[in-house]
Amino acid sequence: MLEIKNLVAGIPGRTIVDGLSLTVKPGEVAAIMGPNGSGKSTLSYVLAGRGDYEVTSGEATLDGDDILGLDPEERAAKGLFLAFQYPVEIPGVATMTFLKAAMNAQRKTRGEPELSAPDFLRRVREAAKSLSVDPEMLKRPLNVGFSGGEKKRMEILQMALLEPRCAILDETDSGLDIDALRVVSAGVNALRGKDRAFLVITHYQRLLDHVRPDTVHVMSKGRIVTSGGPELALELEKNGYRDHVDAA
Amino acid sequence: MSTPPEALAAAFARLPAHPVRTAGFARFAQTGAPDRRVEAWHYSDLAAVFDAQAAPVGAPGPAALDRALALLAALPRFADAARLVLVDGHFVASLSDAAPAGATLTPFDDALARTDAAGLFAPDGLGVGDAMVGYNSAFMQGGFLAEVAAGGTATIHVAHLATGAAGACVSRLAFRLGDGAGLDLVETFDGDRTQRHAASAFALEPRARASRVAFHAEAEGTVCVETVLADLAADSEFADFGFVADRAFTRRQPFVRQRGPRAKIALGGLSLLGGRAHADATLVVEHDSTHGESREFFRHVVADEATGVYQGKVIVKPGAQKTDGSMKSNAVLLSDGASMENKPELEIFADDVVCGHGATCGALDEAELFYLRARGIPRAVAEALMLEGFAAEALDRIAFAPARGEADRRLAAWLAARAA
Ligand SMILES: Nc1ncnc2c1ncn2[C@@H]1O[C@H](COP(=O)(O)OP(=O)(O)OP(=O)(O)O)[C@@H](O)[C@H]1O
Ligand SMILES: [Mg+2]
């Protein structure tokens, strides 16, 4: 599904993702762990198409099609979704207006008609309920004044509404309280399926207790240095990154 | 700067003599149309676009009236506001509704013949220093005086139509509001390419309240100078909002004076500019009494090669204690060729006041745009969403609901045309 080969990317004058290769198969949940500053968020931004990063070499494909040459909205239309580590506050754009625009943009690329207002409201209400998102939040400007945990829940709410093919979750667990972690994990698990892949970036085993990964990768200095199964995450939790990072 | 050419001097000589005209012409004759050397016109070089050969257009003939009818058909109604029509600067009763309920209408010439005319058409000497206020006083061709008696209320729409006749459309409206009177006024500016000079003067007695919204949808290439003169007695309130969405050269200039205590002034504007549009909002607010309040809130969205200008001068005179003033001007630039000049100024000569100002100017935030696009929203739609929010905050200053509705429609249309 998602295939990254020898990806080199960064900002002018500095390489951050440095020859990274990774394959995530349909149905797979792959976890990426790694020290602060190893380039995890940069990788997720580069895959989503953020303009301030430059790709110098390598490739990334989704379902066999190159995505690096596409605009962010085209990548989203192909089914890529990024839950941001730091969701952006957008004053002046109402949350509901935004959700409607996002859902209708996606339906347009699929050749489906726009959602009717009642249909749209019903879907948002259902998703909000299952993720314990306070409906009052939906009346505010997008992410403005949301707490850290509320912002993360909004990201998962958007994922639930957009039903992406491949979702990258960048530290969605950080900032969540214990109950919220459970709710958000349930939301992710509900979307798991044989046609969908997840790339879960996290620092903590506790998320992986709820969302069981199929594979675990360690990222250091812009590349994957070790890969293994769920047991690798447990080992990291116990011993830290030292053994793996030194091997890089 | 240039002296008025023969053509204008001759046109002036043909007009019936009147002290207001004479004083206005004397002021205009000192400098002619201002260029960049005049500080208040520094960012709008009127001399470069002013047609000094354009004598005021005469009263409309049958062809102009036909064209006006077609233009009128495309205009919205503002709830039950009485619609009064000016064609090429001349009030045309036959195209207008009956006199608005709650207001007394006096024809322009009759009003000018009144002994109190000077105070009505040029209240308290507001704007006397400005050459184009002088020009307007010298050459005003038509308009009317509308009076709302004490305690009364009126709702009026004035449609300014330009039919493409050669010359300049020069008009002046005067509004007098009695004690506690209320007025909701909308002025629309539409039609064919022209040189337009429109002014509206307001004399507010104690406790009177006037709101005004001006909609500019001028033809490309039109030069429009719109002056607002407002004189506020104690406890009165005056609100003016300018909505500009066209590709003309527009100068809006409110001159507002707080003459009595506790009066409130709210000036606002939204300009949506594309092509080579030039829109300038330059205002002077004078607090000349105590406990006054002024709010200026202007937003410009500037695309293509267009230019936005905001110059706000708030003067707090000696003794105008407890003045509460706040001025904001924000602009979004949508292209490299777009430009914005922001010049907020406070001149404070009293010590017990609270006044502040803020001005910002920049592109849409790329991080915000990326977030929206990462959800599949195309760039143009994402921009429209952000601009809508930006513009709506300005439109929130429009209190008269039918005008707000029309502003929302025009904003949506502008955004849709841009995203298409
Ligand atoms: N736009 C940028 N400009 C300058 N430096 C950047 C930029 N983006 C990333 N970096 C740098 O690249 C490195 C990798 O950052 P990145 O955010 O990808 O790390 P991370 O693995 O996500 O870290 P964390 O676990 O703390 O979230 C850091 O040193 C960061 O400062
Ligand atoms: Mg990160």
Side-chain angles (χ1 to χ4, degrees), chain B residues 26 47 49 69 87 90 100 117 131 175 179 189 199 207 239 277 291 353 355 369 413:
Chain B
V49 292
L69 263 180
V87 178
H90 298 263
F175 297 87
D179 194 324
F189 297 89
R207 289 167 289 279
H291 295 91
V353 302
C355 286
L369 273 174

Side-chain angles (χ1 to χ4, degrees), chain B residues 270-308:
Chain B
L270 174 67
S271 297
L272 307 171
L273 308 174
R276 305 186 64 84
H278 179 104
D280 173 339
T282 292
L283 60 90
V284 181
V285 169
E286 283 173 88
H287 289 284
D288 205 358
S289 183
T290 61
H291 295 91
E293 181 186 291
S294 60
R295 297 283 177 270
E296 292 80 33
F297 194 96
F298 287 77
R299 292 206 155 164
H300 285 78
V301 176
V302 193
D304 306 330
E305 306 282 300
T307 305

Side-chain angles (χ1 to χ4, degrees), chain A residues 30-124:
Chain A
I32 294 190
M33 305 182 81
N36 295 131
S38 54
K40 305 181 297 297
S41 292
T42 302
L43 170 67
S44 69
Y45 284 141
V46 168
L47 292 174
R50 192 165 138 164
D52 35 9
Y53 295 105
E54 257 172 28
V55 175
T56 31
S57 64
E59 54 186 71
T61 58
L62 184 62
D63 292 325
D65 301 326
D66 165 67
I67 55 168
L68 296 178
L70 301 179
D71 284 335
E73 55 266 40
E74 294 170 325
R75 301 182 199 204
K78 274 192 66 66
L80 190 73
F81 180 89
L82 167 62
F84 285 62
Q85 181 175 2
Y86 302 110
V88 182
E89 298 193 4
I90 310 189
V93 176
T95 301
M96 292 298 268
T97 309
F98 158 73
L99 291 175
K100 197 167 186 188
M103 290 170 75
N104 281 332
Q106 187 196 49
R107 293 174 70 85
K108 196 170 173 187
T109 58
R110 289 188 194 152
E112 293 166 4
E114 290 205 344
L115 278 171
S116 69
D119 260 358
F120 166 71
L121 287 173
R122 185 179 46 77
R123 286 187 199 209
V124 173

Side-chain angles (χ1 to χ4, degrees), chain A residues 17-35:
Chain A
V17 174
D18 195 5
L20 183 139
S21 297
L22 180 68
T23 301
V24 188
K25 295 199 212 59
E28 181 177 335
V29 173
I32 294 190
M33 305 182 81

Side-chain angles (χ1 to χ4, degrees), chain B residues 21-72:
Chain B
R21 290 194 191 284
T22 308
F25 188 74
R27 171 62 193 92
F28 178 68
Q30 279 173 19
T31 59
D35 63 20
R36 290 176 177 279
R37 282 172 289 172
V38 179
E39 194 191 348
W41 291 84
H42 183 68
Y43 301 109
S44 294
D45 190 353
L46 187 69
V49 292
F50 181 75
D51 182 355
Q53 302 304 316
V57 183
L65 292 177
D66 276 353
R67 176 72 185 122
L69 263 180
L71 291 168
L72 266 187

Side-chain angles (χ1 to χ4, degrees), chain A residues 48-50 71-73 76 81-82 84 88-90 92-93 97-98 102 105 142-143 155 158, chain B residues 365 367-382 385-386 388-390 393:
Chain A
R50 192 165 138 164
D71 284 335
E73 55 266 40
F81 180 89
L82 167 62
F84 285 62
V88 182
E89 298 193 4
I90 310 189
V93 176
T97 309
F98 158 73
L142 185 55
N143 292 329
E155 295 292 288
Q158 292 170 39
Chain B
D365 187 280
E368 295 178 14
L369 273 174
F370 173 64
Y371 186 86
L372 299 175
R373 297 173 74 196
R375 297 295 177 254
I377 301 171
R379 187 180 176 103
V381 178
L385 282 177
M386 290 173 65
E388 189 184 6
F390 177 78
E393 283 185 51

